[in-house]
Amino acid sequence: MFKPAPIRQRDVEAVRRALSKGAANATELLQSLVGRPVRSAAALHEWHDALLFVLAHPPSESMATVAQHELHRVAQIARDVAAEPDASELALINSGIEGTPIEGVFSLTLVRWLSDRWPGAVQLAAIDAPIEEVRELLRGLLLPIEWESVDLLGDDNDELCRAVLGEASLATLVRLLEQAPVSEHVRTLWFARLQVRVSVSGAATGCSTTQARAPRDALFVLDTPFVRAVDVRAVVAQPLNAPVSLRPRERSALISTARTVLATLERETDPVTYTGHVSLHDMGRGLRIALYSLAPPQRLPFDSYVGFMAFRNGVPLAYGGTWIFPGRSKIGINVFKAQRGGESTWFFAQLLRLYAQTFAVSRFEVENYQLGYGNADGLRSGAYWFYYRLGFRPVAPSLQIIAEREFRKLSSESGYPVPLPLLRSLVAEGLELDLRVPESAVITPEPLDTAALTLAVQTYIVQQYDGDRRTALQRALTRLRATLPLGDTRTWSADERTALEMWALPIDMIRDLEQWTTSERQALVRVVRSKGATTETQHQRLLAAHTRVLDAWRRYCDDLR
């Protein structure tokens, strides 16, 4: 009887290439692998990801159905492999396949969430901090009678933790932290310093990318060639639809899906872990983008850090975020490995459209790390030229000339490699996309650097208050209550009062605040209160319109140079 040959990694790679190029035989190649045995972990992982790619970019409805059935088979193979007595789970760890384990270093908040969602499946794998650091941190969690014992209980972290924490080591550690008479912020820092590595067993049903989905509309079939080139300005100008209407249950599921997907990749982002609100936006062609807004207590003082996760036909496509501030917003994206080779350029243009219109952003900046500075993967991936093709450019005129020359060679000379030293010099600086019309670009002042503003606040505290933070905050609040039309702040929400404390010192730096007009001071109060709203969408619009506060901060920073 004929036995089909096992699926090899190169077989899957051939299918991926054919699908990405829209080859006539792509569907035939895909069908040829369906149902065949899989012997290697690498081939299983690649086949799993290829099937996710098909579900996100189906050439037909029938192939989407085939891919979904095959994905269930792949998950069962993975479970069977993990169940074998002498099986090594290491080959499939963090693969995202249903039934396989994950392991990573996560925040205390995410570890709590994982433990609550999959009780019994989350365990302490290791503590990776240096032994002396572990001893000192554990000492702060124990009774005084035990302090000396941490120096006597072994010479490695495993032995020490077994003795101090017992069998339920992760649960005990979390309980000790929660009982410590310190703030949640300090607990989080202690946990991070311990470098706690946790594992989630393959028994945690649903802890995978195999099943992770977002709400979607009707299946969008990509039965035509992929969109490779776009006019970014034209795309960004297209009006947005209203956000997708979501029930509370669906919002909660979107947050859970994002946390799970990132955890399977041993990754985590603050807007997803500390989400205060999530919205879903339909961008067309099966693409939906969820925006994750940080909860008010976790927000940055100046930038609005808004994360995203994109989904194609409900399948996770990419994640990242923007750090939004009037004049310039930093943006970072990462397309999931399973989804590379699709319509990345078109997707990114849609992402820019969403952020530009939602937050009134007209200038985007990509930092040098994403381009390959100190990041070998980014350098090899050609990220620099991906952004360049979209219209991002260096700020320095000298680099603009070099980049334009090299891009012409790349476009006209087949196989031309940009010399590595030259590419390193290019990626040392970030890239910027300016979507404003040329006339407005001439008269608009340079964007305020929020890092410089943060340092200015610290300098102000040291110079004006000899570093006494408590006195500085108290006096700043006293001045603001006397100068701004705050009204009775007891009627404000707790998040609005937190925002006032956060902004008290930056506002106190403004020397001529008392000379501002009544309308300018009223507008400033609206800016402050909006920092404590459910999302920071309105906050960024109000702040961008308040040019006087931005100019005052800019002058203060300039005076410190």
Side-chain angles (χ1 to χ4, degrees), residues 117-349:
R117 188 167 179 81
W118 290 287
V122 184
Q123 304 292 333
L124 177 66
I127 289 182
D128 294 334
I131 183 69
E132 291 305 321
E133 178 97 355
V134 175
R135 285 191 176 117
E136 289 308 309
L137 290 169
L138 286 178
R139 209 187 311 272
L141 300 175
L142 303 178
L143 298 171
I145 192 67
E146 300 177 273
W147 287 353
E148 187 178 358
S149 69
V150 297
D151 296 319
L152 308 172
L153 288 172
D155 295 324
D156 63 68
N157 288 343
D158 289 344
E159 188 176 348
L160 177 59
C161 290
R162 279 195 301 272
V164 172
L165 303 176
E167 290 300 318
S169 51
L170 182 62
T172 302
L173 176 59
V174 171
R175 185 169 60 250
L176 286 172
L177 284 165
E178 290 173 342
Q179 292 171 348
V182 296
S183 68
E184 179 66 11
H185 179 65
V186 172
R187 290 189 191 99
T188 300
L189 288 177
W190 278 3
F191 192 81
R193 285 179 60 188
L194 284 168
Q195 300 175 44
V196 178
R197 189 150 37 93
V198 301
S199 63
V200 184
S201 75
T205 303
C207 190
S208 68
T209 56
T210 307
Q211 297 185 19
R213 298 292 183 271
R216 68 170 177 86
D217 206 344
L219 183 73
F220 183 82
V221 175
L222 282 86
D223 53 0
T224 57
F226 288 172
V227 175
R228 300 296 189 189
V230 296
D231 181 337
V232 173
R233 290 180 181 276
V235 170
V236 169
Q238 295 169 1
L240 286 175
N241 295 321
V244 177
S245 179
L246 295 173
R247 294 184 289 272
R249 174 175 83 246
E250 291 173 317
R251 292 186 191 279
S252 179
L254 261 179
I255 295 170
S256 295
T257 294
R259 288 176 179 169
T260 301
V261 169
L262 292 179
T264 63
L265 300 172
E266 198 185 349
R267 297 178 188 178
E268 183 178 2
T269 67
D270 283 354
V272 169
T273 296
Y274 304 105
T275 302
H277 182 267
V278 61
S279 58
L280 188 63
H281 305 263
D282 196 313
M283 310 304 293
R285 291 176 60 81
L287 174 67
R288 286 184 168 185
I289 302 175
L291 294 182
Y292 298 84
S293 298
L294 279 164
Q298 306 296 333
R299 288 176 184 166
L300 303 175
F302 302 116
D303 296 313
S304 294
Y305 182 15
V306 182
F308 77 86
M309 186 167 286
F311 302 86
R312 196 78 184 258
N313 283 317
V315 180
L317 176 74
Y319 77 97
T322 56
W323 293 258
I324 304 165
F325 194 75
R328 179 182 295 155
S329 296
K330 298 172 184 176
I331 187 166
I333 69 165
N334 191 314
V335 176
F336 294 122
K337 182 176 177 291
Q339 302 301 336
R340 292 172 190 170
E343 296 183 330
S344 297
T345 302
W346 177 83
F347 150 67
F348 190 58

Side-chain angles (χ1 to χ4, degrees), residues 15-69:
V15 170
R16 288 294 296 263
R17 285 193 299 271
L19 289 167
S20 182
K21 293 177 180 179
N25 65 338
T27 298
E28 181 184 346
L29 286 173
L30 181 68
Q31 286 275 27
S32 71
L33 300 188
V34 172
R36 282 167 50 180
V38 189
R39 301 283 186 250
S40 80
L44 189 66
H45 192 176
E46 289 289 340
W47 184 223
H48 172 267
D49 285 359
L51 294 167
L52 289 177
F53 183 88
V54 173
L55 288 173
H57 309 83
S60 66
E61 288 190 25
S62 61
M63 283 313 304
T65 302
V66 168
Q68 186 61 56
H69 287 311

